[in-house]
Amino acid sequence: MDPDTFVVGTLRATNVQPASLVAGAVGDVGVTFIISDPLPTDGKIAITFPSGFRLNSGSATAMGDDGASFRGSTSVSVSGQIATITRAGDGDSIDADQTVTLELSNIENPSTSGLAGTYSIRTTDASDVSIDEDLEVDPDTFVVGTLRATNVQPASLVAGAVGDVGVTFI
């Protein structure tokens, strides 16, 4: 009898949504998905952000105020563009076909406007064996930020004068 080959399950209804879509903004990012296979109490969730995002911006990326939709303690670690949420084993496993929501903090959007690359989300067991994944989570489009307190002030207001001009903005 030949051995069975198991394949990684597919995450459904995946979304990674920054609280702000302004280029360069720092804040929370919501993550939502439906799992196909159970996620153990000591499982992990890895979210890969496209290049241009900066995790640990201002302070360490952590669970945001909204936390997670499941019970149990978690920790967040960052390596490059990947934020990994590790469950501590003190909650319940999450059954198949359940919606999982998370909020991560201190993430800086790409500094330029336009379409960012795709995200990816993967669930694993404690040994990093993949359970479910979506490697092509839809990208977001970032908009240009608004300058505030703008001022252009010539050094002289005399007609025809030649000189410096001061420009300030936030």
Side-chain angles (χ1 to χ4, degrees):
M1 181 183 266
D2 292 328
D4 291 326
T5 301
F6 294 95
V7 296
V8 175
T10 302
L11 296 173
R12 301 181 319 273
T14 54
N15 187 37
V16 178
Q17 186 63 55
S20 170
L21 291 176
V22 173
V26 176
D28 294 339
V29 174
V31 179
T32 305
F33 54 90
I34 299 171
I35 59 176
S36 295
D37 298 291
L39 182 63
T41 61
D42 60 352
K44 300 177 184 180
I45 302 164
I47 298 108
T48 303
F49 289 81
S51 64
F53 278 89
R54 198 177 95 196
L55 286 70
N56 294 333
S57 182
S59 60
T61 293
M63 293 301 279
D65 290 339
D66 290 343
S69 61
F70 50 81
R71 285 186 277 159
S73 305
T74 60
S75 62
V76 179
S77 62
V78 170
S79 177
Q81 295 303 111
I82 303 171
T84 302
I85 296 91
T86 302
R87 301 187 69 204
D90 59 353
D92 299 327
S93 65
I94 303 169
D95 294 332
D97 298 319
Q98 296 299 306
T99 299
V100 174
T101 60
L102 308 165
E103 183 181 77
L104 297 170
S105 65
N106 303 314
I107 298 175
E108 183 177 343
N109 294 342
S111 60
T112 56
S113 61
L115 188 66
T118 58
Y119 305 90
S120 71
I121 305 171
R122 177 183 312 239
T123 62
T124 71
D125 66 13
S127 300
D128 293 324
V129 175
S130 293
I131 299 172
D132 292 335
E133 66 185 12
D134 182 350
L135 304 179
E136 297 290 327
V137 179
D138 289 341
D140 290 304
T141 300
F142 294 91
V143 297
V144 175
T146 303
L147 297 175
R148 300 183 324 264
T150 57
N151 187 41
V152 177
Q153 182 65 48
S156 171
L157 296 177
V158 175
V162 175
D164 294 337
V165 176
V167 178
T168 59
F169 54 88
I170 298 174

